[in-house]
PDB file of all heavy atoms in Angstrom:
ATOM      1  N   ARG A 182     100.561 112.107 106.730  1.00  0.00           N
ATOM      2  CA  ARG A 182     100.703 112.217 105.342  1.00  0.00           C
ATOM      3  C   ARG A 182     100.815 113.708 104.907  1.00  0.00           C
ATOM      4  O   ARG A 182     101.348 114.529 105.659  1.00  0.00           O
ATOM      5  CB  ARG A 182      99.561 111.469 104.603  1.00  0.00           C
ATOM      6  CG  ARG A 182      99.756 109.979 104.772  1.00  0.00           C
ATOM      7  CD  ARG A 182      98.589 109.195 104.228  1.00  0.00           C
ATOM      8  NE  ARG A 182      98.479 109.255 102.771  1.00  0.00           N
ATOM      9  CZ  ARG A 182      99.132 108.541 101.899  1.00  0.00           C
ATOM     10  NH1 ARG A 182      99.970 107.610 102.275  1.00  0.00           N
ATOM     11  NH2 ARG A 182      98.912 108.687 100.547  1.00  0.00           N
ATOM     12  N   GLY A 183     100.129 114.107 103.812  1.00  0.00           N
ATOM     13  CA  GLY A 183     100.335 115.472 103.248  1.00  0.00           C
ATOM     14  C   GLY A 183      99.264 116.433 103.697  1.00  0.00           C
ATOM     15  O   GLY A 183      99.003 117.424 103.005  1.00  0.00           O
ATOM     16  N   TYR A 184      98.621 116.194 104.860  1.00  0.00           N
ATOM     17  CA  TYR A 184      97.529 117.008 105.191  1.00  0.00           C
ATOM     18  C   TYR A 184      97.948 118.363 105.842  1.00  0.00           C
ATOM     19  O   TYR A 184      98.945 118.448 106.513  1.00  0.00           O
ATOM     20  CB  TYR A 184      96.601 116.307 106.216  1.00  0.00           C
ATOM     21  CG  TYR A 184      96.019 114.931 105.658  1.00  0.00           C
ATOM     22  CD1 TYR A 184      96.553 113.775 106.061  1.00  0.00           C
ATOM     23  CD2 TYR A 184      95.005 115.003 104.701  1.00  0.00           C
ATOM     24  CE1 TYR A 184      96.071 112.581 105.518  1.00  0.00           C
ATOM     25  CE2 TYR A 184      94.501 113.856 104.217  1.00  0.00           C
ATOM     26  CZ  TYR A 184      95.063 112.604 104.638  1.00  0.00           C
ATOM     27  OH  TYR A 184      94.622 111.451 104.096  1.00  0.00           O
ATOM     28  N   ILE A 185      97.098 119.343 105.597  1.00  0.00           N
ATOM     29  CA  ILE A 185      97.292 120.598 106.322  1.00  0.00           C
ATOM     30  C   ILE A 185      96.098 120.755 107.258  1.00  0.00           C
ATOM     31  O   ILE A 185      94.963 120.845 106.804  1.00  0.00           O
ATOM     32  CB  ILE A 185      97.277 121.848 105.339  1.00  0.00           C
ATOM     33  CG1 ILE A 185      98.412 121.677 104.302  1.00  0.00           C
ATOM     34  CG2 ILE A 185      97.422 123.116 106.101  1.00  0.00           C
ATOM     35  CD1 ILE A 185      98.427 122.799 103.237  1.00  0.00           C
ATOM     36  N   VAL A 186      96.342 120.705 108.566  1.00  0.00           N
ATOM     37  CA  VAL A 186      95.283 120.600 109.518  1.00  0.00           C
ATOM     38  C   VAL A 186      95.627 121.653 110.665  1.00  0.00           C
ATOM     39  O   VAL A 186      96.751 121.720 111.051  1.00  0.00           O
ATOM     40  CB  VAL A 186      95.146 119.240 110.181  1.00  0.00           C
ATOM     41  CG1 VAL A 186      93.951 119.243 111.163  1.00  0.00           C
ATOM     42  CG2 VAL A 186      95.014 118.111 109.120  1.00  0.00           C
ATOM     43  N   GLY A 187      94.637 122.473 111.026  1.00  0.00           N
ATOM     44  CA  GLY A 187      94.827 123.361 112.121  1.00  0.00           C
ATOM     45  C   GLY A 187      95.655 124.601 111.733  1.00  0.00           C
ATOM     46  O   GLY A 187      95.880 124.851 110.574  1.00  0.00           O
ATOM     47  N   SER A 188      96.130 125.311 112.785  1.00  0.00           N
ATOM     48  CA  SER A 188      96.922 126.536 112.541  1.00  0.00           C
ATOM     49  C   SER A 188      97.803 126.785 113.729  1.00  0.00           C
ATOM     50  O   SER A 188      97.545 126.320 114.826  1.00  0.00           O
ATOM     51  CB  SER A 188      95.970 127.705 112.275  1.00  0.00           C
ATOM     52  OG  SER A 188      95.260 127.958 113.460  1.00  0.00           O
ATOM     53  N   ALA A 189      98.832 127.570 113.443  1.00  0.00           N
ATOM     54  CA  ALA A 189      99.692 127.927 114.543  1.00  0.00           C
ATOM     55  C   ALA A 189      99.047 128.792 115.621  1.00  0.00           C
ATOM     56  O   ALA A 189      99.299 128.749 116.750  1.00  0.00           O
ATOM     57  CB  ALA A 189     100.943 128.639 114.004  1.00  0.00           C
ATOM     58  N   LYS A 190      98.081 129.586 115.098  1.00  0.00           N
ATOM     59  CA  LYS A 190      97.373 130.448 116.069  1.00  0.00           C
ATOM     60  C   LYS A 190      96.552 129.667 117.063  1.00  0.00           C
ATOM     61  O   LYS A 190      96.513 130.006 118.262  1.00  0.00           O
ATOM     62  CB  LYS A 190      96.343 131.369 115.238  1.00  0.00           C
ATOM     63  CG  LYS A 190      95.574 132.264 116.090  1.00  0.00           C
ATOM     64  CD  LYS A 190      94.646 133.158 115.236  1.00  0.00           C
ATOM     65  CE  LYS A 190      93.799 134.155 116.069  1.00  0.00           C
ATOM     66  NZ  LYS A 190      92.891 134.941 115.223  1.00  0.00           N
ATOM     67  N   GLU A 191      95.979 128.561 116.629  1.00  0.00           N
ATOM     68  CA  GLU A 191      95.197 127.738 117.572  1.00  0.00           C
ATOM     69  C   GLU A 191      95.993 126.696 118.259  1.00  0.00           C
ATOM     70  O   GLU A 191      95.608 126.209 119.369  1.00  0.00           O
ATOM     71  CB  GLU A 191      94.068 127.034 116.778  1.00  0.00           C
ATOM     72  CG  GLU A 191      93.063 127.940 116.128  1.00  0.00           C
ATOM     73  CD  GLU A 191      92.110 127.248 115.237  1.00  0.00           C
ATOM     74  OE1 GLU A 191      92.287 126.003 115.016  1.00  0.00           O
ATOM     75  OE2 GLU A 191      91.156 127.881 114.754  1.00  0.00           O
ATOM     76  N   GLY A 192      97.182 126.395 117.674  1.00  0.00           N
ATOM     77  CA  GLY A 192      98.027 125.421 118.340  1.00  0.00           C
ATOM     78  C   GLY A 192      97.459 123.951 118.244  1.00  0.00           C
ATOM     79  O   GLY A 192      97.935 123.096 119.035  1.00  0.00           O
ATOM     80  N   VAL A 193      96.578 123.718 117.321  1.00  0.00           N
ATOM     81  CA  VAL A 193      96.049 122.382 117.087  1.00  0.00           C
ATOM     82  C   VAL A 193      96.386 121.958 115.701  1.00  0.00           C
ATOM     83  O   VAL A 193      95.881 122.682 114.775  1.00  0.00           O
ATOM     84  CB  VAL A 193      94.550 122.331 117.382  1.00  0.00           C
ATOM     85  CG1 VAL A 193      93.918 121.003 117.065  1.00  0.00           C
ATOM     86  CG2 VAL A 193      94.242 122.749 118.809  1.00  0.00           C
ATOM     87  N   TYR A 194      97.008 120.848 115.478  1.00  0.00           N
ATOM     88  CA  TYR A 194      97.503 120.471 114.165  1.00  0.00           C
ATOM     89  C   TYR A 194      96.951 119.061 113.861  1.00  0.00           C
ATOM     90  O   TYR A 194      97.627 118.323 113.088  1.00  0.00           O
ATOM     91  CB  TYR A 194      98.977 120.500 114.123  1.00  0.00           C
ATOM     92  CG  TYR A 194      99.607 121.728 114.699  1.00  0.00           C
ATOM     93  CD1 TYR A 194     100.292 121.721 115.947  1.00  0.00           C
ATOM     94  CD2 TYR A 194      99.468 122.967 114.023  1.00  0.00           C
ATOM     95  CE1 TYR A 194     100.854 122.907 116.488  1.00  0.00           C
ATOM     96  CE2 TYR A 194     100.000 124.086 114.575  1.00  0.00           C
ATOM     97  CZ  TYR A 194     100.692 124.115 115.789  1.00  0.00           C
ATOM     98  OH  TYR A 194     101.229 125.210 116.288  1.00  0.00           O
ATOM     99  N   TRP A 195      95.761 118.763 114.202  1.00  0.00           N
ATOM    100  CA  TRP A 195      95.193 117.457 113.918  1.00  0.00           C
ATOM    101  C   TRP A 195      93.714 117.452 114.002  1.00  0.00           C
ATOM    102  O   TRP A 195      93.096 118.438 114.564  1.00  0.00           O
ATOM    103  CB  TRP A 195      95.707 116.417 114.943  1.00  0.00           C
ATOM    104  CG  TRP A 195      95.683 116.918 116.308  1.00  0.00           C
ATOM    105  CD1 TRP A 195      94.574 116.966 117.139  1.00  0.00           C
ATOM    106  CD2 TRP A 195      96.783 117.465 117.055  1.00  0.00           C
ATOM    107  NE1 TRP A 195      94.945 117.506 118.361  1.00  0.00           N
ATOM    108  CE2 TRP A 195      96.272 117.794 118.315  1.00  0.00           C
ATOM    109  CE3 TRP A 195      98.154 117.614 116.778  1.00  0.00           C
ATOM    110  CZ2 TRP A 195      97.090 118.364 119.323  1.00  0.00           C
ATOM    111  CZ3 TRP A 195      98.917 118.192 117.753  1.00  0.00           C
ATOM    112  CH2 TRP A 195      98.400 118.519 118.992  1.00  0.00           C
ATOM    113  N   LYS A 196      93.073 116.485 113.447  1.00  0.00           N
ATOM    114  CA  LYS A 196      91.573 116.306 113.555  1.00  0.00           C
ATOM    115  C   LYS A 196      91.267 114.807 113.402  1.00  0.00           C
ATOM    116  O   LYS A 196      92.055 114.084 112.792  1.00  0.00           O
ATOM    117  CB  LYS A 196      90.888 117.166 112.557  1.00  0.00           C
ATOM    118  CG  LYS A 196      91.050 116.615 111.059  1.00  0.00           C
ATOM    119  CD  LYS A 196      90.199 117.453 110.095  1.00  0.00           C
ATOM    120  CE  LYS A 196      90.422 116.960 108.671  1.00  0.00           C
ATOM    121  NZ  LYS A 196      89.597 117.699 107.686  1.00  0.00           N
ATOM    122  N   LYS A 197      90.173 114.381 113.954  1.00  0.00           N
ATOM    123  CA  LYS A 197      89.723 113.047 113.840  1.00  0.00           C
ATOM    124  C   LYS A 197      88.840 112.817 112.655  1.00  0.00           C
ATOM    125  O   LYS A 197      88.074 113.796 112.298  1.00  0.00           O
ATOM    126  CB  LYS A 197      89.055 112.591 115.173  1.00  0.00           C
ATOM    127  CG  LYS A 197      89.939 112.511 116.355  1.00  0.00           C
ATOM    128  CD  LYS A 197      89.179 112.055 117.637  1.00  0.00           C
ATOM    129  CE  LYS A 197      90.065 112.008 118.776  1.00  0.00           C
ATOM    130  NZ  LYS A 197      89.337 111.510 120.032  1.00  0.00           N
ATOM    131  N   THR A 198      88.858 111.649 112.112  1.00  0.00           N
ATOM    132  CA  THR A 198      87.974 111.300 110.984  1.00  0.00           C
ATOM    133  C   THR A 198      87.628 109.800 111.121  1.00  0.00           C
ATOM    134  O   THR A 198      88.139 109.129 112.042  1.00  0.00           O
ATOM    135  CB  THR A 198      88.590 111.629 109.650  1.00  0.00           C
ATOM    136  OG1 THR A 198      87.668 111.370 108.513  1.00  0.00           O
ATOM    137  CG2 THR A 198      89.856 110.766 109.467  1.00  0.00           C
ATOM    138  N   LEU A 199      86.833 109.241 110.202  1.00  0.00           N
ATOM    139  CA  LEU A 199      86.409 107.901 110.193  1.00  0.00           C
ATOM    140  C   LEU A 199      85.904 107.547 111.540  1.00  0.00           C
ATOM    141  O   LEU A 199      86.335 106.569 112.283  1.00  0.00           O
ATOM    142  CB  LEU A 199      87.558 106.945 109.793  1.00  0.00           C
ATOM    143  CG  LEU A 199      87.853 106.758 108.359  1.00  0.00           C
ATOM    144  CD1 LEU A 199      88.966 105.765 108.141  1.00  0.00           C
ATOM    145  CD2 LEU A 199      86.621 106.332 107.578  1.00  0.00           C
ATOM    146  N   CYS A 200      84.833 108.264 112.009  1.00  0.00           N
ATOM    147  CA  CYS A 200      84.162 108.051 113.239  1.00  0.00           C
ATOM    148  C   CYS A 200      85.109 108.070 114.435  1.00  0.00           C
ATOM    149  O   CYS A 200      84.963 107.318 115.420  1.00  0.00           O
ATOM    150  CB  CYS A 200      83.388 106.686 113.218  1.00  0.00           C
ATOM    151  SG  CYS A 200      82.214 106.614 111.905  1.00  0.00           S
ATOM    152  N   GLY A 201      86.148 108.914 114.361  1.00  0.00           N
ATOM    153  CA  GLY A 201      87.111 109.115 115.491  1.00  0.00           C
ATOM    154  C   GLY A 201      88.226 108.067 115.479  1.00  0.00           C
ATOM    155  O   GLY A 201      89.042 108.083 116.381  1.00  0.00           O
ATOM    156  N   ARG A 202      88.279 107.140 114.487  1.00  0.00           N
ATOM    157  CA  ARG A 202      89.293 106.074 114.524  1.00  0.00           C
ATOM    158  C   ARG A 202      90.612 106.532 113.915  1.00  0.00           C
ATOM    159  O   ARG A 202      91.637 105.925 114.219  1.00  0.00           O
ATOM    160  CB  ARG A 202      88.770 104.864 113.786  1.00  0.00           C
ATOM    161  CG  ARG A 202      87.646 104.125 114.534  1.00  0.00           C
ATOM    162  CD  ARG A 202      87.355 102.826 113.979  1.00  0.00           C
ATOM    163  NE  ARG A 202      86.547 102.880 112.786  1.00  0.00           N
ATOM    164  CZ  ARG A 202      85.247 102.851 112.680  1.00  0.00           C
ATOM    165  NH1 ARG A 202      84.520 102.849 113.786  1.00  0.00           N
ATOM    166  NH2 ARG A 202      84.664 102.953 111.519  1.00  0.00           N
ATOM    167  N   TRP A 203      90.584 107.500 113.025  1.00  0.00           N
ATOM    168  CA  TRP A 203      91.852 108.039 112.423  1.00  0.00           C
ATOM    169  C   TRP A 203      92.120 109.458 112.922  1.00  0.00           C
ATOM    170  O   TRP A 203      91.207 110.347 113.034  1.00  0.00           O
ATOM    171  CB  TRP A 203      91.718 108.047 110.877  1.00  0.00           C
ATOM    172  CG  TRP A 203      91.948 106.680 110.311  1.00  0.00           C
ATOM    173  CD1 TRP A 203      91.876 105.440 110.867  1.00  0.00           C
ATOM    174  CD2 TRP A 203      92.427 106.448 108.936  1.00  0.00           C
ATOM    175  NE1 TRP A 203      92.190 104.492 110.029  1.00  0.00           N
ATOM    176  CE2 TRP A 203      92.476 104.998 108.770  1.00  0.00           C
ATOM    177  CE3 TRP A 203      92.709 107.236 107.849  1.00  0.00           C
ATOM    178  CZ2 TRP A 203      92.875 104.408 107.561  1.00  0.00           C
ATOM    179  CZ3 TRP A 203      93.051 106.622 106.670  1.00  0.00           C
ATOM    180  CH2 TRP A 203      93.175 105.221 106.570  1.00  0.00           C
ATOM    181  N   LEU A 204      93.336 109.717 113.286  1.00  0.00           N
ATOM    182  CA  LEU A 204      93.800 111.063 113.705  1.00  0.00           C
ATOM    183  C   LEU A 204      94.735 111.612 112.616  1.00  0.00           C
ATOM    184  O   LEU A 204      95.813 111.192 112.448  1.00  0.00           O
ATOM    185  CB  LEU A 204      94.583 110.925 115.005  1.00  0.00           C
ATOM    186  CG  LEU A 204      95.076 112.257 115.597  1.00  0.00           C
ATOM    187  CD1 LEU A 204      93.886 113.105 116.087  1.00  0.00           C
ATOM    188  CD2 LEU A 204      96.070 112.005 116.802  1.00  0.00           C
ATOM    189  N   LEU A 205      94.170 112.511 111.816  1.00  0.00           N
ATOM    190  CA  LEU A 205      94.891 113.135 110.745  1.00  0.00           C
ATOM    191  C   LEU A 205      95.759 114.220 111.291  1.00  0.00           C
ATOM    192  O   LEU A 205      95.262 115.183 111.916  1.00  0.00           O
ATOM    193  CB  LEU A 205      93.974 113.684 109.659  1.00  0.00           C
ATOM    194  CG  LEU A 205      92.962 112.751 108.996  1.00  0.00           C
ATOM    195  CD1 LEU A 205      92.236 113.506 107.861  1.00  0.00           C
ATOM    196  CD2 LEU A 205      93.681 111.532 108.507  1.00  0.00           C
ATOM    197  N   MET A 206      97.040 114.146 111.115  1.00  0.00           N
ATOM    198  CA  MET A 206      97.982 115.101 111.700  1.00  0.00           C
ATOM    199  C   MET A 206      98.723 115.900 110.554  1.00  0.00           C
ATOM    200  O   MET A 206      99.158 115.315 109.537  1.00  0.00           O
ATOM    201  CB  MET A 206      99.030 114.452 112.553  1.00  0.00           C
ATOM    202  CG  MET A 206      98.429 113.507 113.573  1.00  0.00           C
ATOM    203  SD  MET A 206      99.555 112.970 114.897  1.00  0.00           S
ATOM    204  CE  MET A 206      99.447 114.362 115.992  1.00  0.00           C
ATOM    205  N   SER A 207      98.816 117.170 110.720  1.00  0.00           N
ATOM    206  CA  SER A 207      99.359 118.064 109.704  1.00  0.00           C
ATOM    207  C   SER A 207     100.804 117.851 109.496  1.00  0.00           C
ATOM    208  O   SER A 207     101.620 117.800 110.482  1.00  0.00           O
ATOM    209  CB  SER A 207      99.144 119.519 110.109  1.00  0.00           C
ATOM    210  OG  SER A 207      99.723 120.383 109.116  1.00  0.00           O
ATOM    211  N   SER A 208     101.217 117.636 108.298  1.00  0.00           N
ATOM    212  CA  SER A 208     102.655 117.499 107.947  1.00  0.00           C
ATOM    213  C   SER A 208     103.342 118.851 107.780  1.00  0.00           C
ATOM    214  O   SER A 208     104.576 118.954 107.743  1.00  0.00           O
ATOM    215  CB  SER A 208     102.889 116.666 106.726  1.00  0.00           C
ATOM    216  OG  SER A 208     102.249 117.306 105.596  1.00  0.00           O
TER     217      SER A 208
END
Side-chain angles (χ1 to χ4, degrees):
R182 290 175 65 86
Y184 300 105
I185 302 177
V186 184
S188 67
K190 181 179 179 180
E191 299 172 351
V193 177
Y194 312 109
W195 46 78
K196 68 177 180 180
K197 292 182 180 179
T198 186
L199 280 183
C200 302
R202 290 191 285 269
W203 279 22
L204 181 69
L205 303 186
M206 310 195 82
S207 177
S208 63

